Amino acid sequence: MSHTDDHDGPTAPRTLPPGFTFGASTSAFQIEGATTLDGRGPSIWDAFCRRPGAVTGGDTADRACEHYVRYREDVALAADLGVDTYRFSVSWPRVMPDGLTVNPKGLAFYDRLVDGLLAREITPFACLFHWDLPQAVYERGGWGDRDTALRFAEYAGIVADRLGDRVGMWATMNEPWVHLLRGHIIGDHAPGEHLMDWGPIVHGLLLAHGGATSALRASGVRGAVGLIESVAPVRPLSESPQDVGIAQMFDAIRNRLFLSAVLHGRHEDAVVRMMPSLIDCAQAQDMTTIAGELDFLGINYYQPVGIRAAAPGGPVPFEFGPVPGLGTTAAGFMIDPDGLRESLVELGARHRDRLPPIYVTEIGCACTDELDEAGRCDDRARIDYIGDHLRAIGGALDEGVDVRGCLVWSLLDNFEWDQGLGSRYGLVHVDFRTQRRTPKASFHWYAGLIARHRRSATPA
Ligand code: BGC
């Protein structure tokens, strides 16, 4: 049910406390374009989009939103939106084209971006890896090679030394689970692998996170340090013991493969039984590095998982299906705001005193956004979606979960990975031909909500 019938004046749920942080998120590969400008090296996504028969259907991110050259306009949009924080990612291949050598021009771009945000009183939130691995690093072995994690920690230290005095929040990486699943198992994301033995990739990503956390701390960054992971309630599609059992098994991987290691310094027994190479490739002290103290956990939420046991003899013991009774976004994602509340409460209950404060670092939906004759985009479905998910966060707060903020995905329509330029998630419409930006109805709604929340939280 939507709670935002009045699209001009809905307020934030009362349970969002004063000081609750509002933001918007983006990522480098999805918006920057300029893939060969100023010495940027190729990333695995540049190569993936150019494969014969690529899933992106010929779309590349060569231009995307041209944010690399138009960033001032985008920072001004973020300021008009009134966000407290703006999350961007730093492109490793822009800063270190071969993964080893620093490109001063690449680093200088993020310097300008951070200063531009601060000039508008927006807290810069930098994520060091949002899936755009340098192609050269991939060719030297990618995440399955221990050396990649060590190089990533060096890169983290270099960015930290340059921006550490000004960035307010740091994430080592975005959604390692999705990068593993889609990039290395299903293969519809870069680098397009279909691995059966994915334990070394998980260990490499975990070690990279831990090493980068240590590098940020060693550099003395002023901002908070965290990790961003995606969660989803796993719902059995029937009450049969087989379906319930497979849902529990999948939940351990889907929601805790990375978080158990990062928050508790160990893998769950059932997970190790399934993938023994997870610990075979770990050296002494690795788990201690991986479980370094975090200041916050970023949580991205899109949809639940519907799952049932598969008939015997198939390649995997489960199959996915739609959860009955849920509508879908234009991207076909199931809409289930209560799944966000449920996931946040579950995180609190399961990880208890090991769980740092949470920021919801992505909620958002794809809509069929078109400009009307007057040049406006009336994306009511997105307003309802975001409003309902903010209310779900309010519900989790009521149940005692320490959620400090919420960032909407995304500030701009952008390059939506396997969907190319065809799937729009922005609060701002981008005409990819002219690069014209047009704030949608959801932009004005979110700006109003943030302004009202701030006024109501300010003592008279
Ligand atoms: C990713 C974003 C992506 C969004 C929508 C998230 O998993 O972090 O990069 O655009 O989902 O699919």
Side-chain angles (χ1 to χ4, degrees), residues 8-315:
D8 296 327
T11 51
R14 273 203 307 278
T15 41
L16 296 183
F20 188 84
T21 297
F22 289 100
S25 288
T26 60
S27 92
F29 188 76
Q30 293 178 272
I31 63 169
E32 284 180 2
T35 50
T36 54
L37 204 60
D38 289 345
R40 177 190 178 276
S43 82
I44 54 171
W45 269 95
D46 297 296
F48 186 71
C49 294
R50 285 177 167 73
R51 278 183 171 190
V55 287
T56 57
D59 283 357
T60 69
D62 292 358
R63 291 185 67 198
C65 306
E66 296 185 352
H67 172 78
Y68 185 75
V69 291
R70 297 173 186 272
Y71 74 93
R72 283 187 196 85
E73 190 183 343
D74 298 335
V75 169
L77 283 165
D80 289 348
L81 190 57
V83 286
D84 303 297
T85 187
Y86 168 77
R87 174 183 153 220
F88 59 97
S89 77
V90 177
S91 159
W92 189 0
R94 194 177 291 291
V95 170
M96 302 177 85
D98 58 0
L100 302 170
T101 326
V102 176
N103 171 28
K105 285 187 174 170
L107 207 44
F109 168 68
Y110 298 103
D111 223 22
R112 294 195 295 276
L113 176 61
V114 164
D115 284 346
L117 290 165
L118 288 173
R120 303 282 197 153
E121 296 182 2
I122 300 170
T123 300
F125 182 155
C127 174
L128 292 167
F129 179 68
H130 199 126
W131 306 347
D132 51 350
L133 190 71
Q135 176 69 9
V137 175
Y138 175 64
E139 286 169 12
R140 285 196 295 272
W143 291 118
D145 184 336
R146 191 177 175 85
D147 193 56
T148 298
L150 306 182
R151 297 285 88 80
F152 184 73
E154 280 172 15
Y155 151 70
I158 287 162
V159 179
D161 287 349
R162 181 67 175 259
L163 307 178
D165 55 338
R166 286 159 290 151
V167 164
M169 294 183 76
W170 293 90
T172 55
M173 58 179 67
N174 176 70
E175 297 188 352
W177 160 257
V178 176
H179 187 54
L180 166 76
L181 179 76
R182 302 198 56 184
H184 298 83
I185 301 176
I186 297 176
D188 65 343
H189 276 195
E193 302 273 9
H194 302 274
L195 299 177
M196 298 297 284
D197 180 14
W198 39 260
I201 304 290
V202 174
H203 191 71
L205 285 163
L206 283 169
L207 194 59
H209 157 75
T213 303
S214 307
L216 289 164
R217 303 275 190 221
S219 164
V221 295
R222 170 183 87 67
V225 176
L227 166 74
I228 295 170
E229 180 55 306
S230 120
V231 296
V234 178
R235 305 201 192 286
L237 292 172
S238 85
E239 287 170 13
S240 77
Q242 291 83 352
D243 288 358
V244 171
I246 210 80
Q248 284 168 351
M249 183 279 287
F250 190 74
D251 181 44
I253 300 191
R254 170 66 184 82
N255 289 311
R256 301 195 299 279
L257 178 59
F258 288 92
L259 290 185
S260 289
V262 166
L263 298 178
H264 304 276
R266 61 177 189 81
H267 289 292
E268 293 182 19
D269 295 344
V271 172
V272 175
R273 273 198 299 279
M274 205 178 313
M275 190 50 63
S277 63
L278 273 176
I279 49 172
D280 294 346
C281 53
Q283 294 184 8
Q285 298 307 313
D286 280 3
M287 293 314 273
T288 310
T289 304
I290 289 167
E293 207 65 26
L294 296 183
D295 302 318
F296 73 94
L297 180 66
I299 287 296
N300 295 351
Y301 173 79
Y302 285 90
Q303 60 172 341
V305 175
I307 195 168
R308 64 170 73 85

